[in-house]
Amino acid sequence: MTTFFRLLHHDDKATALAAATAALRQGTPHPDTHTVDPASFAQVPGSPFAYWVSERVRRLFAELPRFESKDRHACVTNPAGNDHRYFRTSWEIPAKFKGRATKWVNMLKGGDFSRYYSDTHLFVDWDDKEQTFLGFEGTPHRPLKRLASADYFFLPGITYSTRSQVGFSARILPAGCIFHAKGPGIFCGTENNPRFLALMNSQIFHDLLLLQMTFGSYEVGVIQRTPVPNLDTPDGEQLGKLAFACVNLKRGLDTATETSHVFQLPALLQASGDTLAARDAAWAQRVAAA
């Protein structure tokens, strides 16, 4: 057994270490002290020194199947190249030219932290015959014509941002879209996509990711190696329904955003007369109380 001291959350690490070692000598439990068998680290891919989590958590990697198994797949594609030159936003393209049946298709490129839903506002000039888009040439040292993982383009799934200092945020990848190197694609099947969308936005899934990686870089291999439970259950079905509800709630907020492709009316015009009257009454009460 080996003793570890976790002092990351302390500003004065010298004082914290002295307190932890003093408690250890006295045989008193201390929250910064962890006694672990180093052999148990091998259960986590890459054998990181994951001493601060319980043996039960480390054992999940041995007991549960990895995400990348059965019909589940997480994949990344090639860097796009000159994004600023060849990508377009939704308001730059007439509506009649958008969609798989026409010329311009949605490109999901990661983006800001956003769980469950984020607006699909980028488009690329897609060539269905060549299975590529205008401006894609691969990298200077490895020119390419066809993008990696193109067989998964246009399928419904899940996507996320590979780089984030805030945390991991999974969101829907709608059918009819392609994905970017900075926003990989995750595919579990039409029925299971919402179930895994809910799971991937949970705290436990995020914690399992952090055990395997350096902070802020959620590479696709980390997703593939993360253990997942069986969601083909009534509880999994309920998770999927809740995930859909979250997607619809966040999408509803975008109906008041003028640059969103689902924009309908400004928020003030969407409010009913009863809602506005209740707001005005509440405001009048606050003024009177002041």
Side-chain angles (χ1 to χ4, degrees), residues 46-116:
S47 300
F49 281 11
Y51 59 84
W52 62 93
V53 298
S54 67
E55 174 62 23
R56 179 72 186 98
V57 172
R58 289 189 293 271
R59 203 161 58 237
L60 291 176
F61 288 88
E63 294 177 347
L64 295 178
R66 297 183 175 190
F67 174 81
E68 188 78 3
S69 57
K70 295 185 178 180
D71 297 325
R72 301 185 296 265
H73 186 55
C75 55
V76 70
T77 190
N78 308 97
N82 194 342
D83 299 4
H84 294 289
R85 180 176 181 184
Y86 293 105
F87 286 20
R88 297 290 183 271
T89 50
S90 59
W91 51 87
E92 295 179 283
I93 304 169
K96 63 180 179 180
F97 294 131
K98 299 176 185 177
R100 179 84 189 272
T102 58
K103 188 175 183 182
W104 293 86
V105 299
N106 271 123
M107 161 72 83
L108 273 74
K109 188 191 172 187
D112 295 335
F113 181 90
S114 181
R115 288 175 175 155
Y116 294 104

Side-chain angles (χ1 to χ4, degrees), residues 18-42:
T21 54
L24 182 64
R25 286 193 295 268
Q26 296 170 5
T28 305
H30 193 278
D32 295 331
T33 304
H34 305 267
T35 302
V36 181
D37 180 0
S40 69
F41 296 155

Side-chain angles (χ1 to χ4, degrees), residues 120-166:
T120 54
H121 65 279
L122 289 179
F123 283 80
V124 291
D125 189 348
W126 179 258
D127 187 327
D128 209 29
K129 180 179 179 182
E130 299 293 337
Q131 291 290 286
T132 189
F133 56 84
L134 181 65
F136 175 74
E137 298 175 351
T139 55
H141 61 280
R142 189 183 178 188
L144 294 171
K145 187 173 183 181
R146 190 171 187 267
L147 290 98
S149 304
D151 291 341
Y152 290 90
F153 288 172
F154 306 110
L155 297 178
I158 302 168
T159 187
Y160 67 97
S161 304
T162 55
R163 299 289 298 178
S164 172
Q165 299 301 312
V166 181

Side-chain angles (χ1 to χ4, degrees), residues 241-262:
K241 293 178 180 178
L242 293 173
F244 263 132
C246 291
V247 170
N248 289 331
L249 285 171
K250 291 202 71 174
R251 189 176 183 273
L253 294 176
D254 257 6
T255 61
T257 303
E258 293 186 13
T259 56
S260 168
H261 81 285
V262 295

